[in-house]
Amino acid sequence: MRRLDELAQFSSRNGEITRLYLTPEHRAAALKVREWMQAAGMRAEIDAVGNVIGRYDGTTLNARSVLIGSHVDTVTNGGKYDGSLGVLTGIHAVAELHAKGLRLPFAIEVLAFGDEEGVRFSRTLTGSKAVAGILEDADLDAADSAGITIRDALTRFGCDPLEIPRISRRKEDVLCYIEVHIEQGPVLESAGLPIGVITAINGATRFKVEVAGTSGHAGTVPMNVRQDALAAAAEMVLAAERLAQQTEDLVATTGCIEIRPGVVNVIAPSVGFNIDVRSSKDDVRQNTVAALQDSFQAIARRRRVAVTTEGFYDEAAVTCSSWLVKALEAAVARLNLRPYRLPSGGGHDGLAISSLCPIGMLFVRCAGGVSHNPAEAITADDADLAIRVLLEFLQHFEPDDAVSGIREA
Amino acid sequence: MRRLDELAQFSSRNGEITRLYLTPEHRAAALKVREWMQAAGMRAEIDAVGNVIGRYDGTTLNARSVLIGSHVDTVTNGGKYDGSLGVLTGIHAVAELHAKGLRLPFAIEVLAFGDEEGVRFSRTLTGSKAVAGILEDADLDAADSAGITIRDALTRFGCDPLEIPRISRRKEDVLCYIEVHIEQGPVLESAGLPIGVITAINGATRFKVEVAGTSGHAGTVPMNVRQDALAAAAEMVLAAERLAQQTEDLVATTGCIEIRPGVVNVIAPSVGFNIDVRSSKDDVRQNTVAALQDSFQAIARRRRVAVTTEGFYDEAAVTCSSWLVKALEAAVARLNLRPYRLPSGGGHDGLAISSLCPIGMLFVRCAGGVSHNPAEAITADDADLAIRVLLEFLQHFEPDDAVSGIREA
């Protein structure tokens, strides 16, 4: 907890936690994380894409690795635990093994990815994609609001972008990936449980909705002849909420809406809003998006306005490997905690790593489900439990089981 | 129609009609209007507040006046007819009397007010208020976005603000005020009628609504525990629309809405919007505002969000004098048109003048009800009919009837 407080000091602004990818504060945080990794008995370095990688060797020199990771970047004015908790619990688990002089029949690598939030550049998961070998060279041309590309920022950060292809891992060198993360939601808190085992990272579809009505004077156009784009949009927002409430394992959110011209005495001719739909089941998500689009068309027809929708983001759900889910549940049960499964509504570095190896995730209860906010909070007891679960998992992990688990899947 | 096209050329920007109070283009337009008034046989001048006033004397030197007016300022990127039509129909009616050498037993004054729209300064009806004697000296301290006060702008325009008190009229010198205006709504067009007689200028209440919910991650917070400020606001917008649809002689509009933080993947904790409610009946308007506020509280309680409302504008309805309504209807009927009464949803210079003398208004059908927009359109035939109705009204108008009408009221 002390180290999480310390990490929170690396911020572009005093009084808040804002640590974007490849900024000076990211570099300072990365150096501190490398120092902690070294103190925990790991060889550690900053790689070509700005990740910090620590390796704790196994009983044999060229043992395959269990990867444990998360990210050290934050959103603008974010919290102390989103990302950082996963890196610190990994370091602490290794530190305990090191303190006891324990070597396992596999290596452990702790990864502190540099860019999960995607706030600075119009790209996310740059660090984990590079490790998974799925980062495209063109991704490095994405620029921030000042016109600086990821490629330029890497050079300023002290990295050599030409070395990036060399940091991708071969499937035969890694066993699995485990990520600890705060829940960012209220489910565990409601269930009265400190730890949850993730079954899948939800797929997400985002689409833009544009409603075109007819402008009019707020005082002179009778209600029955109006073609009010905002009233139509309001009905659509509620239709999306209602359908999501009626659909299991699905959420839908309207987080932004824009009205044009936005004048108190003008019936709005034009309203745009976005909808974000998520589910751990791709077919449920896709069917809901289709049903919403039909419902919006029906609302538009009835109100004599026009509506268009345009998808701009579509990520399939990623399933956590069932043998890893079971192994993590067993670790939870050995600590006399009730195993509890839930899907992850948010995206995580595991999304990218899933193309490299099986992934598993643990969620830690957070206060009020609050995240992406300075009010983000967890307890020291819950953080410690996450480290205990990691150690239980690692000490019972059989690399051969993992290999057969991979083969079965 | 040619003169309306000519007037539309006085604009701060080519290709649109933007003529704000006390700008160089307003001055150029005022000089042109004065020239037209003089050509129509009137003595004309620009007064101390920037109005153009033309006087066509009656049969006796000190005859009381019938005022005919409207405004020559426009909204930003407005239309050709809003305001200007009322000035031009007044000038043309006088021109016809003048061409026939007709003097009436009362004077006619045509007034081209300078500021009805209130776009430049945070004040409206400056010109008509000055004439009615209800402009406060402090109103002249209102400043535009560049910090120029009305007082300074008047001086630059060539006016002497110290002379403003002298342009207010005495009740005993005026008989009534008549304004011709485009409808700015679709009612006459739907009824298939070129001209309507206005019964009242609707009262208006505007209030701000703030909804406070709880922020959350769009992917991780289950639907049933959300406190989504936008969904609550959407329900309120629809509740206002529904109540207005069910209430006779009332409209309600949400023309602006703001969502905070307005991010695609964040459940909004905060939404603000404004509601504009209008009716020709003050009690209907007030009861509706109260009912809406109750309904918003009920929606907020059910959704576990907080709502506050704050009124920021409240204007009582102004009733057109019944004897003027009847006299204008009689003029319409003599032209073999069906008299048709309707309230005015928009505010007009008549609002200010109603504190000086009885007012009456005529609406002219406009295409699609479109206004405050370059697409504003009327037909030459309809404009001519408005002039015919004015002339019918004027030629049958008995000052003594007016005086007794005033006394009765």
Side-chain angles (χ1 to χ4, degrees), chain A residues 184 187 206 217-220 222-223 225-226 230-231 234 238 241 251-256 259 262-266 278 303 345-346, chain B residues 184 186-187 206 217-220 222-223 226 230-231 238 241 244 251-256 259 262-263 265-266 278 303 345-346:
Chain A
Q184 305 181 278
V187 174
R206 292 179 187 167
H217 190 298
T220 58
M223 298 306 293
V225 301
R226 294 183 174 205
L230 181 69
L238 293 176
E241 185 194 42
V251 290
T253 308
T254 303
C256 46
I259 186 167
V263 175
V264 63
N265 61 347
V266 175
R278 306 199 195 194
R303 287 179 168 273
Chain B
Q184 306 181 276
V187 174
R206 292 178 187 168
H217 189 299
T220 59
M223 298 305 294
R226 294 183 175 205
L230 181 68
L238 292 176
E241 185 194 43
V251 289
T253 308
T254 303
C256 47
I259 186 168
V263 175
N265 60 346
V266 175
R278 306 198 192 194
R303 287 180 169 270

Side-chain angles (χ1 to χ4, degrees), chain A residues 25-366:
Chain A
E25 48 279 8
H26 173 207
R27 178 150 188 93
L31 290 171
K32 179 57 75 181
V33 166
R34 189 179 65 174
E35 182 188 317
W36 290 333
M37 286 176 173
Q38 289 164 341
M42 290 182 263
R43 291 180 284 124
E45 62 176 19
I46 297 176
D47 74 9
V49 78
N51 301 320
V52 197
I53 315 275
R55 183 179 171 97
Y56 184 70
D57 283 323
T59 43
T60 61
L61 192 62
N62 274 318
R64 293 169 153 211
S65 303
V66 167
L67 309 179
I68 302 177
S70 194
H71 60 97
V72 291
D73 66 320
T74 72
V75 296
T76 303
N77 201 19
K80 285 179 190 174
Y81 307 102
D82 177 1
S84 298
L85 178 68
V87 174
L88 268 292
T89 49
I91 293 174
H92 278 263
V94 171
E96 292 207 16
L97 296 174
H98 178 61
K100 293 178 186 161
L102 281 176
R103 293 281 164 182
L104 301 173
F106 49 86
I108 301 170
E109 290 188 65
V110 179
L111 301 94
F113 298 114
D115 174 41
E116 192 265 353
E117 302 289 3
V119 174
R120 180 170 174 191
F121 303 97
S122 59
R123 291 287 181 286
T124 60
L125 307 179
T126 306
S128 42
K129 280 179 179 167
V131 168
I134 56 172
L135 187 71
E136 308 277 343
D137 189 62
D139 289 332
L140 302 181
D141 296 324
D144 67 10
S145 60
I148 301 167
T149 62
I150 297 180
R151 200 183 306 276
D152 293 343
L154 279 168
T155 308
R156 295 184 199 190
F157 195 78
C159 294
D160 180 357
L162 295 174
E163 292 289 305
I164 289 176
R166 294 191 52 220
I167 67 175
S168 70
R169 302 308 172 85
R170 295 186 305 168
K171 287 188 198 312
E172 46 273 36
D173 293 338
V174 294
L175 291 162
C176 64
Y177 170 83
I178 305 293
E179 180 165 357
V180 174
H181 204 283
I182 60 164
E183 182 197 336
Q184 305 181 278
V187 174
L188 290 172
E189 190 176 62
S190 306
L193 291 170
I195 304 282
V197 178
I198 303 313
T199 52
I201 300 176
N202 285 354
T205 297
R206 292 179 187 167
F207 61 100
K208 186 165 183 52
V209 185
E210 279 292 337
V211 184
T214 302
S215 183
H217 190 298
T220 58
V221 183
M223 298 306 293
N224 62 344
V225 301
R226 294 183 174 205
Q227 295 164 294
D228 182 330
L230 181 69
E235 202 174 328
M236 293 172 193
V237 166
L238 293 176
E241 185 194 42
R242 195 164 46 245
L243 185 56
Q245 284 165 344
Q246 292 164 351
T247 308
E248 207 169 329
D249 187 17
L250 182 128
V251 290
T253 308
T254 303
C256 46
I257 188 165
E258 192 190 348
I259 186 167
R260 293 166 289 251
V263 175
V264 63
N265 61 347
V266 175
I267 300 162
S270 170
V271 171
F273 62 96
N274 290 338
I275 295 204
D276 176 303
V277 180
R278 306 199 195 194
S279 173
S280 67
K281 302 193 179 73
D282 289 338
D283 58 338
V284 169
R285 188 183 86 252
Q286 286 153 358
N287 292 342
T288 302
V289 168
L292 279 179
Q293 288 170 340
D294 287 350
S295 147
F296 292 178
Q297 292 296 344
I299 291 167
R301 269 194 304 277
R302 182 163 37 75
R303 287 179 168 273
R304 295 169 297 115
V305 300
V307 66
T308 55
T309 60
E310 187 188 343
F312 63 91
Y313 182 88
D314 206 65
E315 281 287 348
V318 167
T319 306
C320 293
S321 305
S322 59
W323 62 271
L324 270 175
V325 170
K326 285 176 199 153
L328 289 167
E329 281 186 326
V332 168
R334 282 195 297 275
L335 293 166
N336 295 318
L337 295 170
R338 179 158 68 91
Y340 186 90
R341 295 184 177 194
L342 72 167
S344 166
H348 295 289
D349 288 295
L351 277 178
I353 302 295
S354 69
S355 68
L356 172 70
C357 65
I359 69 163
M361 282 192 77
L362 294 169
F363 268 3
V364 175
R365 166 171 62 187
C366 65

Side-chain angles (χ1 to χ4, degrees), chain B residues 182-186 188-189 364-371 376-378:
Chain B
I182 59 164
E183 182 196 336
Q184 306 181 276
L188 290 172
E189 189 177 61
V364 175
R365 166 170 63 186
C366 65
V370 174
S371 181
E376 211 173 74
I378 61 168

